[in-house]
Amino acid sequence: MGLPALEFSDCCLDSPHFRETLKSHEAELDKTNKFIKELIKDGKSLITALKNLSSAKRKFADSLNEFKFQCIGDAETDDEMCIARSLQEFATVLRNLEDERIRMIENASEVLITPLEKFRKEQIGAAKEAKKKYDKETEKYCGILEKHLNLSSKKKESQLQEADSQVDLVRQHFYEVSLEYVFKVQEVQERKMFEFVEPLLAFLQGLFTFYHHGYELAKDFGDFKTQLTISIQNTRNRFEGTRSEVESLMKKMKENPLEHKTISPYTMEGYLYVQEKRHFGTSWVKHYCTYQRDSKQITMVPFDQKSGGKGGEDESVTLKSCTRRKTDSIEKRFCFDVEAVDRPGVITMQALSEEDRRLWMEAMDGREPVYNSNKDSQSEGTAQLDSIGFSIIRKCIHAVETRGINEQGLYRIVGVNSRVQKLLSVLMDPKTASETETDICAEWEIKTITSALKTYLRMLPGPLMMYQFQRSFIKAAKLENQESRVSEIHSLVHRLPEKNRQMLQLLMNHLANVANNHKQNLMTVANLGVVFGPTLLRPQEETVAAIMDIKFQNIVIEILIENHEKIFNTVPDMPLTNAQLHLSRKKSSDSKPPSCSERPLTLFHTVQSAEKQEQRNSIINSSLESVSSNPNSILNSSSSLQPNMNSSDPDLAVVKPTRPNSLPPNPSPTSPLSPSWPMFSAPSSPMPTSSTSSDSSPVRPEEAVREDSSTPFRKAKALYACKAEHDSELSFTAGMVFDNVHPSQEPGWLEGTLNGKTGLIPENYVEFL
């Protein structure tokens, strides 16, 4: 049922029925007001959603319009052109549709939101204001009426008449306000029937207009849609017809790819790995190379298919010669050397197979290698430790010490690469190499000369301090005190080949002069170690482990500079026994606290248990007693225990002393020589410390095992985790147990078996069981 009518006559009576009827009208107005507020909120949300939808569709249309089909071949069919044009047509239709949608959205705000807001504020808001006024007059009238009725009848007649007239005025004003309020309520109730619905109708009309526009666009698009459908079907039919032919050609290419090879403008092209010398060692970088026999031009483009991008700038050189690399002269297979006219040094390349190398060498008119071991002169463009190499280094050193010893950042600031290469080409030219040692012209900057010196050292076939000694030098830098480090490095330097040692001495004397002027040039011993460590002591392969050892390479160079007179001008002392080495370290640690440079540089430290330490101490004491009881045994055997300076053994093995024959045939379980205990050398058989010194303990059970090749294989437990860097090494975690552990031919490594696989184990990562 609807609301009852409000009669104006009831305003005078102001009966309870009238009040109830008025109250129901007020509730309806409140309900209408809340509904309109929610409708306006939903309408605004709808408009926002339509705007977002339109924005997304426009972005979609822009994406379609920007994409361009690229067909295979240099011409397109009509069907392909129609298909290629289709995306732009789709984008045009969507944009036209969204233009109409935007007009609808802008119109919706005017025809829907604004009229509803106006009706709610002007009409319903006016009714609320009238209600407030009506309630206020009601309260005023009732208050005066009660006060009037409480007047005493004994008042003067004039006073009573005045009060009656006042009440009549208030009643008349209340009656007028009541009539106006009832009129406003009825007016709003009637207005909402059209002023509320009319905006909604206008909004729907805008929607219908938008959809009709879409219908008209669809009609206009019909012709192109039909044409596009036909083009798509024709293209699909042609694809199905040519697919079998393409598949047949693919099978022929699989069976014999060489017969269907594309004619190339180059004599030879393909992928090659090019050897590049870097601070951390040798790196092999993949290049796509092309060669033209007429111009002898080789172009190398660093490119990796995995990453799909170029790894650097293109490089072109002119071929001078091509020589096959013997397998025993390099670890990699399928290698050959290329010499260029316009680039110093030899470019070593690795082909993908033996057949690929043959094709490259045929294209470059390559030749077989010819080696002459007695050749003392240096071939053009090759860095060697010969008379030309020493001449180059001496010239650079003389120029630096006479013209730039005080230049700030000496050896740290690098020169321009093109200038450095040009200077090296001049210095390495055999025609100018025989000139005086001091003829580097003043036109060459000091930074160019220092960079040329470092570059020449990096161009050597191997680092100056040699690959096979690299691990031993690093281990020496990790010893616990400075004295042991200097002694060990002293011994290792005198195992280097004569020319390497002479060049190293020449360089260290010079670097010492540079360090003496550090107040002017700011190049301290530590700074020089950072510069020359990776150059002189680079590892054979660039790995994470090698990068972690850079700081120890720097320490080795620092020790060489600070102790160059002792290391190069004196013969190293006889290696100490394990017990003597332990005592020397103990005395050093007891006499004074270690300085920063003398503290152990070990990466891992394992605290020995009290029981194991006690066992070791008892063994050392037993050895010391034997030493004190027969001191001449060491002196008599010292001459036979000196390391062989001219030994060519790549494993740096020192001549092992003969094991004493006075050992008991059946050692007791408590004897230090029992298999259940770590085994040590007898006092008359001092062990060299060059390749067996430990980072965390002065006594190594594996040292004793290396003393006697007849020692039975042992079991050992891993103290730390280790990840193999080569196929010959074992990967393991802490706590794993190895079988058949015995010394290997590689210094600092043991050989053992884990899970059926035999390989190398770092000796300072395990302890014997």
Side-chain angles (χ1 to χ4, degrees), residues 189-209:
Q189 292 288 10
E190 292 297 320
R191 274 180 174 273
K192 75 177 182 180
M193 300 300 293
F194 56 93
E195 289 193 3
F196 175 68
V197 176
E198 192 175 30
L200 296 175
L201 177 62
F203 175 71
L204 288 176
Q205 183 61 37
L207 282 177
F208 296 148
T209 303

PDB file of all heavy atoms in Angstrom, residues 189-209:
ATOM      1  N   GLN A 189       7.717  14.171  -2.562  1.00  0.00           N
ATOM      2  CA  GLN A 189       7.234  12.830  -2.862  1.00  0.00           C
ATOM      3  C   GLN A 189       6.745  12.736  -4.311  1.00  0.00           C
ATOM      4  O   GLN A 189       6.936  11.717  -4.974  1.00  0.00           O
ATOM      5  CB  GLN A 189       6.096  12.454  -1.909  1.00  0.00           C
ATOM      6  CG  GLN A 189       6.532  12.284  -0.455  1.00  0.00           C
ATOM      7  CD  GLN A 189       7.338  11.016  -0.224  1.00  0.00           C
ATOM      8  OE1 GLN A 189       7.737  10.333  -1.166  1.00  0.00           O
ATOM      9  NE2 GLN A 189       7.619  10.710   1.040  1.00  0.00           N
ATOM     10  N   GLU A 190       6.145  13.804  -4.806  1.00  0.00           N
ATOM     11  CA  GLU A 190       5.657  13.797  -6.167  1.00  0.00           C
ATOM     12  C   GLU A 190       6.783  14.019  -7.181  1.00  0.00           C
ATOM     13  O   GLU A 190       6.791  13.425  -8.257  1.00  0.00           O
ATOM     14  CB  GLU A 190       4.586  14.893  -6.345  1.00  0.00           C
ATOM     15  CG  GLU A 190       3.296  14.617  -5.567  1.00  0.00           C
ATOM     16  CD  GLU A 190       2.589  13.361  -6.028  1.00  0.00           C
ATOM     17  OE1 GLU A 190       2.564  13.125  -7.246  1.00  0.00           O
ATOM     18  OE2 GLU A 190       2.107  12.600  -5.179  1.00  0.00           O
ATOM     19  N   ARG A 191       7.764  14.876  -6.847  1.00  0.00           N
ATOM     20  CA  ARG A 191       8.862  15.190  -7.760  1.00  0.00           C
ATOM     21  C   ARG A 191       9.747  13.977  -8.043  1.00  0.00           C
ATOM     22  O   ARG A 191      10.273  13.824  -9.148  1.00  0.00           O
ATOM     23  CB  ARG A 191       9.723  16.304  -7.189  1.00  0.00           C
ATOM     24  CG  ARG A 191       9.242  17.690  -7.491  1.00  0.00           C
ATOM     25  CD  ARG A 191      10.195  18.713  -6.875  1.00  0.00           C
ATOM     26  NE  ARG A 191       9.838  20.074  -7.259  1.00  0.00           N
ATOM     27  CZ  ARG A 191      10.251  20.705  -8.352  1.00  0.00           C
ATOM     28  NH1 ARG A 191      11.060  20.077  -9.185  1.00  0.00           N
ATOM     29  NH2 ARG A 191       9.857  21.932  -8.631  1.00  0.00           N
ATOM     30  N   LYS A 192       9.950  13.160  -7.036  1.00  0.00           N
ATOM     31  CA  LYS A 192      10.875  12.035  -7.224  1.00  0.00           C
ATOM     32  C   LYS A 192      10.393  11.058  -8.292  1.00  0.00           C
ATOM     33  O   LYS A 192      11.172  10.289  -8.835  1.00  0.00           O
ATOM     34  CB  LYS A 192      11.108  11.304  -5.909  1.00  0.00           C
ATOM     35  CG  LYS A 192       9.959  10.426  -5.454  1.00  0.00           C
ATOM     36  CD  LYS A 192      10.310   9.691  -4.167  1.00  0.00           C
ATOM     37  CE  LYS A 192       9.187   8.764  -3.738  1.00  0.00           C
ATOM     38  NZ  LYS A 192       9.507   8.049  -2.481  1.00  0.00           N
ATOM     39  N   MET A 193       9.116  11.097  -8.604  1.00  0.00           N
ATOM     40  CA  MET A 193       8.593  10.190  -9.599  1.00  0.00           C
ATOM     41  C   MET A 193       9.159  10.485 -10.982  1.00  0.00           C
ATOM     42  O   MET A 193       9.281   9.589 -11.809  1.00  0.00           O
ATOM     43  CB  MET A 193       7.061  10.279  -9.648  1.00  0.00           C
ATOM     44  CG  MET A 193       6.382   9.932  -8.333  1.00  0.00           C
ATOM     45  SD  MET A 193       6.735   8.263  -7.750  1.00  0.00           S
ATOM     46  CE  MET A 193       5.924   7.308  -8.991  1.00  0.00           C
ATOM     47  N   PHE A 194       9.511  11.719 -11.264  1.00  0.00           N
ATOM     48  CA  PHE A 194      10.064  12.029 -12.593  1.00  0.00           C
ATOM     49  C   PHE A 194      11.509  12.538 -12.524  1.00  0.00           C
ATOM     50  O   PHE A 194      12.328  12.213 -13.375  1.00  0.00           O
ATOM     51  CB  PHE A 194       9.179  13.050 -13.320  1.00  0.00           C
ATOM     52  CG  PHE A 194       8.937  14.321 -12.584  1.00  0.00           C
ATOM     53  CD1 PHE A 194       9.759  15.422 -12.779  1.00  0.00           C
ATOM     54  CD2 PHE A 194       7.872  14.441 -11.688  1.00  0.00           C
ATOM     55  CE1 PHE A 194       9.534  16.602 -12.113  1.00  0.00           C
ATOM     56  CE2 PHE A 194       7.651  15.639 -11.028  1.00  0.00           C
ATOM     57  CZ  PHE A 194       8.488  16.722 -11.233  1.00  0.00           C
ATOM     58  N   GLU A 195      11.835  13.347 -11.509  1.00  0.00           N
ATOM     59  CA  GLU A 195      13.194  13.874 -11.448  1.00  0.00           C
ATOM     60  C   GLU A 195      14.225  12.798 -11.062  1.00  0.00           C
ATOM     61  O   GLU A 195      15.411  12.943 -11.322  1.00  0.00           O
ATOM     62  CB  GLU A 195      13.271  15.037 -10.441  1.00  0.00           C
ATOM     63  CG  GLU A 195      12.577  16.273 -10.932  1.00  0.00           C
ATOM     64  CD  GLU A 195      12.913  17.500 -10.103  1.00  0.00           C
ATOM     65  OE1 GLU A 195      13.744  17.364  -9.167  1.00  0.00           O
ATOM     66  OE2 GLU A 195      12.388  18.558 -10.386  1.00  0.00           O
ATOM     67  N   PHE A 196      13.783  11.734 -10.476  1.00  0.00           N
ATOM     68  CA  PHE A 196      14.676  10.651 -10.095  1.00  0.00           C
ATOM     69  C   PHE A 196      14.854   9.645 -11.230  1.00  0.00           C
ATOM     70  O   PHE A 196      15.933   9.120 -11.476  1.00  0.00           O
ATOM     71  CB  PHE A 196      14.113   9.979  -8.847  1.00  0.00           C
ATOM     72  CG  PHE A 196      14.875   8.753  -8.411  1.00  0.00           C
ATOM     73  CD1 PHE A 196      16.154   8.848  -7.915  1.00  0.00           C
ATOM     74  CD2 PHE A 196      14.307   7.504  -8.524  1.00  0.00           C
ATOM     75  CE1 PHE A 196      16.852   7.738  -7.518  1.00  0.00           C
ATOM     76  CE2 PHE A 196      15.003   6.377  -8.130  1.00  0.00           C
ATOM     77  CZ  PHE A 196      16.282   6.483  -7.624  1.00  0.00           C
ATOM     78  N   VAL A 197      13.777   9.370 -11.965  1.00  0.00           N
ATOM     79  CA  VAL A 197      13.811   8.330 -13.000  1.00  0.00           C
ATOM     80  C   VAL A 197      14.343   8.876 -14.322  1.00  0.00           C
ATOM     81  O   VAL A 197      14.975   8.157 -15.102  1.00  0.00           O
ATOM     82  CB  VAL A 197      12.396   7.730 -13.180  1.00  0.00           C
ATOM     83  CG1 VAL A 197      12.372   6.716 -14.309  1.00  0.00           C
ATOM     84  CG2 VAL A 197      11.918   7.095 -11.895  1.00  0.00           C
ATOM     85  N   GLU A 198      14.070  10.171 -14.584  1.00  0.00           N
ATOM     86  CA  GLU A 198      14.466  10.746 -15.859  1.00  0.00           C
ATOM     87  C   GLU A 198      15.979  10.653 -16.120  1.00  0.00           C
ATOM     88  O   GLU A 198      16.390  10.293 -17.239  1.00  0.00           O
ATOM     89  CB  GLU A 198      14.010  12.194 -15.929  1.00  0.00           C
ATOM     90  CG  GLU A 198      14.125  12.787 -17.326  1.00  0.00           C
ATOM     91  CD  GLU A 198      13.540  14.184 -17.374  1.00  0.00           C
ATOM     92  OE1 GLU A 198      13.584  14.870 -16.331  1.00  0.00           O
ATOM     93  OE2 GLU A 198      13.042  14.562 -18.428  1.00  0.00           O
ATOM     94  N   PRO A 199      16.877  10.911 -15.158  1.00  0.00           N
ATOM     95  CA  PRO A 199      18.329  10.737 -15.405  1.00  0.00           C
ATOM     96  C   PRO A 199      18.723   9.300 -15.738  1.00  0.00           C
ATOM     97  O   PRO A 199      19.598   9.064 -16.571  1.00  0.00           O
ATOM     98  CB  PRO A 199      18.970  11.194 -14.102  1.00  0.00           C
ATOM     99  CG  PRO A 199      17.969  12.092 -13.471  1.00  0.00           C
ATOM    100  CD  PRO A 199      16.635  11.536 -13.846  1.00  0.00           C
ATOM    101  N   LEU A 200      18.049   8.345 -15.105  1.00  0.00           N
ATOM    102  CA  LEU A 200      18.362   6.942 -15.406  1.00  0.00           C
ATOM    103  C   LEU A 200      17.993   6.595 -16.840  1.00  0.00           C
ATOM    104  O   LEU A 200      18.724   5.867 -17.523  1.00  0.00           O
ATOM    105  CB  LEU A 200      17.611   6.022 -14.437  1.00  0.00           C
ATOM    106  CG  LEU A 200      18.016   6.149 -12.945  1.00  0.00           C
ATOM    107  CD1 LEU A 200      17.113   5.278 -12.089  1.00  0.00           C
ATOM    108  CD2 LEU A 200      19.461   5.742 -12.761  1.00  0.00           C
ATOM    109  N   LEU A 201      16.856   7.139 -17.282  1.00  0.00           N
ATOM    110  CA  LEU A 201      16.453   6.901 -18.654  1.00  0.00           C
ATOM    111  C   LEU A 201      17.452   7.500 -19.636  1.00  0.00           C
ATOM    112  O   LEU A 201      17.796   6.883 -20.653  1.00  0.00           O
ATOM    113  CB  LEU A 201      15.061   7.480 -18.885  1.00  0.00           C
ATOM    114  CG  LEU A 201      14.509   7.369 -20.313  1.00  0.00           C
ATOM    115  CD1 LEU A 201      14.376   5.909 -20.723  1.00  0.00           C
ATOM    116  CD2 LEU A 201      13.167   8.097 -20.429  1.00  0.00           C
ATOM    117  N   ALA A 202      17.961   8.685 -19.323  1.00  0.00           N
ATOM    118  CA  ALA A 202      18.935   9.336 -20.211  1.00  0.00           C
ATOM    119  C   ALA A 202      20.235   8.540 -20.267  1.00  0.00           C
ATOM    120  O   ALA A 202      20.874   8.415 -21.325  1.00  0.00           O
ATOM    121  CB  ALA A 202      19.199  10.766 -19.725  1.00  0.00           C
ATOM    122  N   PHE A 203      20.631   7.964 -19.125  1.00  0.00           N
ATOM    123  CA  PHE A 203      21.851   7.153 -19.095  1.00  0.00           C
ATOM    124  C   PHE A 203      21.712   5.901 -19.947  1.00  0.00           C
ATOM    125  O   PHE A 203      22.609   5.530 -20.718  1.00  0.00           O
ATOM    126  CB  PHE A 203      22.185   6.788 -17.650  1.00  0.00           C
ATOM    127  CG  PHE A 203      23.357   5.861 -17.513  1.00  0.00           C
ATOM    128  CD1 PHE A 203      24.644   6.298 -17.763  1.00  0.00           C
ATOM    129  CD2 PHE A 203      23.167   4.532 -17.167  1.00  0.00           C
ATOM    130  CE1 PHE A 203      25.731   5.451 -17.649  1.00  0.00           C
ATOM    131  CE2 PHE A 203      24.241   3.680 -17.041  1.00  0.00           C
ATOM    132  CZ  PHE A 203      25.524   4.127 -17.284  1.00  0.00           C
ATOM    133  N   LEU A 204      20.563   5.248 -19.840  1.00  0.00           N
ATOM    134  CA  LEU A 204      20.321   4.055 -20.655  1.00  0.00           C
ATOM    135  C   LEU A 204      20.282   4.399 -22.139  1.00  0.00           C
ATOM    136  O   LEU A 204      20.742   3.619 -22.976  1.00  0.00           O
ATOM    137  CB  LEU A 204      19.022   3.379 -20.240  1.00  0.00           C
ATOM    138  CG  LEU A 204      19.056   2.655 -18.887  1.00  0.00           C
ATOM    139  CD1 LEU A 204      17.679   2.099 -18.546  1.00  0.00           C
ATOM    140  CD2 LEU A 204      20.079   1.532 -18.909  1.00  0.00           C
ATOM    141  N   GLN A 205      19.750   5.576 -22.459  1.00  0.00           N
ATOM    142  CA  GLN A 205      19.727   5.991 -23.845  1.00  0.00           C
ATOM    143  C   GLN A 205      21.141   6.147 -24.396  1.00  0.00           C
ATOM    144  O   GLN A 205      21.431   5.802 -25.546  1.00  0.00           O
ATOM    145  CB  GLN A 205      18.964   7.308 -23.981  1.00  0.00           C
ATOM    146  CG  GLN A 205      18.809   7.794 -25.410  1.00  0.00           C
ATOM    147  CD  GLN A 205      18.030   6.809 -26.275  1.00  0.00           C
ATOM    148  OE1 GLN A 205      17.079   6.176 -25.808  1.00  0.00           O
ATOM    149  NE2 GLN A 205      18.436   6.663 -27.528  1.00  0.00           N
ATOM    150  N   GLY A 206      22.062   6.661 -23.565  1.00  0.00           N
ATOM    151  CA  GLY A 206      23.463   6.757 -23.975  1.00  0.00           C
ATOM    152  C   GLY A 206      24.080   5.392 -24.220  1.00  0.00           C
ATOM    153  O   GLY A 206      24.855   5.201 -25.179  1.00  0.00           O
ATOM    154  N   LEU A 207      23.748   4.407 -23.366  1.00  0.00           N
ATOM    155  CA  LEU A 207      24.243   3.041 -23.577  1.00  0.00           C
ATOM    156  C   LEU A 207      23.738   2.484 -24.904  1.00  0.00           C
ATOM    157  O   LEU A 207      24.491   1.862 -25.661  1.00  0.00           O
ATOM    158  CB  LEU A 207      23.814   2.135 -22.426  1.00  0.00           C
ATOM    159  CG  LEU A 207      24.590   2.233 -21.114  1.00  0.00           C
ATOM    160  CD1 LEU A 207      23.978   1.321 -20.064  1.00  0.00           C
ATOM    161  CD2 LEU A 207      26.046   1.844 -21.335  1.00  0.00           C
ATOM    162  N   PHE A 208      22.436   2.709 -25.170  1.00  0.00           N
ATOM    163  CA  PHE A 208      21.867   2.201 -26.423  1.00  0.00           C
ATOM    164  C   PHE A 208      22.545   2.853 -27.628  1.00  0.00           C
ATOM    165  O   PHE A 208      22.807   2.185 -28.648  1.00  0.00           O
ATOM    166  CB  PHE A 208      20.363   2.459 -26.466  1.00  0.00           C
ATOM    167  CG  PHE A 208      19.600   1.726 -25.404  1.00  0.00           C
ATOM    168  CD1 PHE A 208      18.451   2.265 -24.854  1.00  0.00           C
ATOM    169  CD2 PHE A 208      20.045   0.493 -24.935  1.00  0.00           C
ATOM    170  CE1 PHE A 208      17.755   1.581 -23.861  1.00  0.00           C
ATOM    171  CE2 PHE A 208      19.358  -0.180 -23.955  1.00  0.00           C
ATOM    172  CZ  PHE A 208      18.201   0.364 -23.402  1.00  0.00           C
ATOM    173  N   THR A 209      22.843   4.129 -27.512  1.00  0.00           N
ATOM    174  CA  THR A 209      23.519   4.825 -28.612  1.00  0.00           C
ATOM    175  C   THR A 209      24.904   4.225 -28.854  1.00  0.00           C
ATOM    176  O   THR A 209      25.339   4.029 -30.005  1.00  0.00           O
ATOM    177  CB  THR A 209      23.642   6.314 -28.290  1.00  0.00           C
ATOM    178  OG1 THR A 209      22.339   6.861 -28.052  1.00  0.00           O
ATOM    179  CG2 THR A 209      24.320   7.069 -29.424  1.00  0.00           C
TER     180      THR A 209
END
